[in-house]
Amino acid sequence: MSVLPRGSTVRRDAGIYGYERALRRHGIEPIAGVDEAGRGACAGPLVAGACILPSGKAGIVPGLADSKLLTERARERCYDQVVRRAVAWSVVVVPHDECDRLGMHVANVEALRRAVALLDVPPAYVLTDGFPVDGLGVPGLAVWKGDRVAACIAAASVLAKVTRDRIMREMDADWPAYDFATHKGYITETHTAALLQHGPSPVHRMRFVNVRRAAGLRPDDRVHNEDAVPVEALEDLS
């Protein structure tokens, strides 16, 4: 991953569109943002979104912000606006069993790569949320708290989270005992109680320690560190 072009600066008060403006001043465009939802959940899929917003007023999405800071209704409104305004957008869904097979970090990186590769318009530069992603084929920058400070990452975050929330509501209809529609697969007291009472559902991720515990299984020595941490201790990174 690279840094911003020499001479580029993004002021702290530049707002959520500051990174894109700084890159465009150097003739770099299109600019894609990419983000995921569901990395810290122990049930359901991981979903990655990628988005290229147009320059100028057409790329200003009313109410756009980090998807985790928006209400469900506000996210849905932003989702509609992003889909309507985007130069290109994509969503990749990684099923729970593929997350188990690959491990969460590998699944996460692969999902982000796939989302960028599926964009109808190839980006010239990619902004990622929090950590660098190699193998994108173009220069990019990892932005700390990117879904709060870069519009294209925030848009990708909205695409990923709204898509995943819709999937979890559908799963709730199939497995109502777990209340997926409310907690979306993250660990809450209700989810923990359901796991202990009913055991894991077919869409729980068996690499997670709390799920294995509920299934009466011992921890798996092959589990990566991030999967072995009890999910109740994980921050909801979306």
Side-chain angles (χ1 to χ4, degrees):
M1 301 298 285
S2 67
V3 297
L4 286 172
R6 182 174 295 179
S8 295
T9 57
V10 180
R11 294 174 45 160
R12 291 186 178 182
D13 60 352
I16 199 170
Y17 297 92
Y19 278 92
E20 285 95 326
R21 283 197 295 265
L23 290 166
R24 287 178 180 127
R25 284 196 296 269
H26 284 77
I28 299 174
E29 200 170 11
I31 305 156
V34 63
D35 199 11
E36 88 288 322
R39 182 171 57 187
C42 67
L46 174 74
V47 178
C51 184
I52 298 174
L53 294 173
S55 59
K57 291 183 178 180
I60 305 298
V61 179
L64 181 63
D66 172 10
S67 64
K68 298 185 293 299
L69 302 179
L70 299 172
T71 65
E72 185 172 324
R73 182 174 297 180
R75 279 195 301 269
E76 290 283 352
R77 287 197 298 266
C78 278
Y79 178 95
D80 292 341
Q81 287 287 331
V82 168
V83 169
R84 184 178 301 120
R85 295 167 181 265
V87 172
W89 65 277
S90 68
V91 169
V92 169
V93 178
V94 182
H96 67 284
D97 52 352
E98 188 172 353
C99 292
D100 277 342
R101 181 176 63 84
L102 295 175
M104 287 312 305
H105 178 69
V106 174
N108 190 24
V109 171
E110 284 298 315
L112 297 173
R113 288 174 180 157
R114 289 183 211 169
V116 172
L118 285 174
L119 289 169
D120 291 336
V121 178
Y125 200 92
V126 178
L127 298 177
T128 61
D129 181 27
F131 64 93
V133 178
D134 294 329
L136 296 178
V138 294
L141 179 70
V143 182
W144 177 247
K145 298 290 186 182
D147 46 8
R148 301 188 184 189
V149 300
C152 57
I153 299 178
S157 171
V158 167
L159 291 171
K161 183 155 180 60
V162 169
T163 299
R164 187 176 187 279
D165 284 357
R166 291 174 179 176
I167 292 171
M168 296 310 297
R169 286 194 291 270
E170 292 175 359
M171 288 184 171
D172 181 73
D174 294 327
W175 295 283
Y178 298 92
D179 196 24
F180 290 143
T182 300
H183 54 68
K184 309 302 189 297
Y186 293 97
I187 287 300
T188 63
E189 290 184 4
T190 299
H191 193 180
T192 298
L195 263 175
L196 294 175
Q197 180 178 356
H198 303 289
S201 75
V203 295
H204 275 91
R205 301 176 187 171
M206 295 304 300
R207 292 176 69 99
F208 279 79
V209 161
N210 62 317
V211 177
R212 296 186 66 81
R213 185 187 303 126
L217 300 173
R218 293 188 303 174
D220 188 338
D221 291 337
R222 297 170 300 171
V223 172
H224 295 309
N225 287 337
E226 70 270 18
D227 303 321
V229 175
V231 179
E232 51 265 42
L234 292 175
E235 179 185 1
D236 177 3
L237 298 176
S238 168

